[in-house]
Amino acid sequence: MQALFGRGSASGSEDEHHWLSVSDLMAGLMMVFLLISIALMRHALEVRENVTQVAETYQETQVAIYQALLDEFADDLDTWQAEIDADTLALTFKSPEVLFATGSAQLRPRFKSILKDFYPRYLNVLTPFHDSIDEIRIEGHTSSRWNSRVSEDTAYFRNMQLSQDRTRSVLSYLYDLPETQQQKSWVQQTTAAVGLSSSHLIKNAAGEEDAESSRRVSFRILTNAEAQIREILTEVDS
């Protein structure tokens, strides 16, 4: 009986050791999962901090560029019939009768005079921000109108061609300025002539198209904040 009980006791001890080892294994696995979770949370916090830092830097850069543009051109905006948008960093020339003749991509003499004064100063203002600027877009905008003999779709594409021709005319004129040649490499790397047709119309208080205001040319600055955020997220995915 004692031998039997002894064997029973030994068997019970082996079972106890078996369950203890399983318990130890489960505890170990839980610790591993906990450490992995902590590591992932820490990595996520680091990514969020990096993105937040880029966003804060982006905001500071936006404000600094806007203030620099305003300091340089505030006294000229009324004379040029222009405005600067703090959110998009777009300096827009708003007077269509100054810019081009109707249906033409040839710069009017008054617009050439304005550009000759504006652009060298614009390049100088942006020089301290070169590392933060991804692109300078010369954007051409038209109204949705063409003439009554063409369809709405045809008018859109003809205005697209017209807006593209106009921005190329602007860039071509600016490119030949002596001051541009001094920064030719940077201008080539960053400046694009973009025709947007009637895709960004200006509307009045009643929500109707303001054809005159829609005909405009903008110099818009795109900073590299988005590219930096994409790079951070790409590193996360990899």
Side-chain angles (χ1 to χ4, degrees):
M1 292 292 291
Q2 288 178 353
L4 179 60
F5 288 134
R7 286 195 298 273
S9 176
S11 176
S13 178
E14 290 174 2
D15 288 344
E16 183 180 350
H17 288 309
H18 172 73
W19 285 111
L20 283 175
S21 63
V22 171
S23 176
D24 290 342
L25 177 61
M26 293 299 294
L29 288 174
M30 289 180 65
M31 184 60 68
V32 170
F33 291 145
L34 178 60
L35 291 174
I36 292 174
S37 298
I38 291 173
L40 290 174
M41 289 176 61
R42 181 177 178 181
H43 184 59
L45 288 173
E46 290 176 352
V47 171
R48 187 174 70 177
E49 288 175 2
N50 289 339
V51 172
T52 299
Q53 184 177 2
V54 171
E56 290 174 351
T57 302
Y58 163 77
Q59 182 63 32
E60 292 170 359
T61 302
Q62 289 276 115
V63 172
I65 293 176
Y66 172 72
Q67 191 59 53
L69 291 172
L70 198 60
D71 290 345
E72 178 65 33
F73 298 116
D75 294 337
D76 302 295
L77 296 177
D78 287 342
T79 302
W80 293 345
Q81 295 179 269
E83 66 181 10
I84 305 172
D85 189 291
D87 295 326
T88 63
L89 298 181
L91 193 153
T92 301
F93 296 97
K94 304 185 298 178
S95 180
E97 64 271 14
V98 171
L99 307 177
F100 308 94
T102 302
S104 172
Q106 183 175 355
L107 279 66
R108 288 185 182 273
R110 172 61 179 153
F111 193 30
K112 285 184 178 180
S113 177
I114 291 173
L115 290 173
K116 187 176 182 180
D117 180 18
F118 156 75
Y119 195 63
R121 294 161 60 191
Y122 186 70
L123 291 179
N124 287 337
V125 167
L126 298 185
T127 297
F129 304 102
H130 277 191
D131 291 341
S132 300
I133 294 175
D134 189 48
E135 185 178 358
I136 306 294
R137 286 186 185 174
I138 304 173
E139 297 180 341
H141 301 268
T142 69
S143 69
S144 65
R145 301 175 185 176
W146 192 261
N147 60 52
S148 58
R149 297 187 300 275
V150 301
S151 68
E152 181 179 333
D153 291 344
T154 299
Y156 172 76
F157 282 104
R158 289 188 180 179
N159 278 316
M160 178 67 74
Q161 183 65 55
L162 178 61
S163 63
Q164 290 172 344
D165 290 344
R166 285 176 169 177
T167 55
R168 281 198 296 269
S169 293
V170 171
L171 180 56
S172 177
Y173 176 75
L174 297 176
Y175 192 78
D176 289 335
L177 295 176
E179 295 85 354
T180 305
Q181 294 301 302
Q182 297 172 13
Q183 298 194 46
K184 182 172 67 173
S185 177
W186 188 77
V187 170
Q188 288 178 343
Q189 292 170 11
T190 59
T191 307
V194 182
L196 294 170
S197 186
S198 55
S199 57
H200 296 281
L201 295 172
I202 302 296
K203 297 185 179 181
N204 58 27
E208 299 170 339
E209 176 183 348
D210 184 333
E212 288 299 305
S213 297
S214 294
R215 302 182 185 114
R216 63 202 190 276
V217 171
S218 296
F219 286 74
R220 182 182 174 196
I221 300 166
L222 302 179
T223 63
N224 56 21
E226 290 186 4
Q228 293 181 42
I229 292 174
R230 283 197 301 270
E231 183 177 347
I232 293 172
L233 296 179
T234 299
E235 291 176 357
V236 172
D237 293 337
S238 61

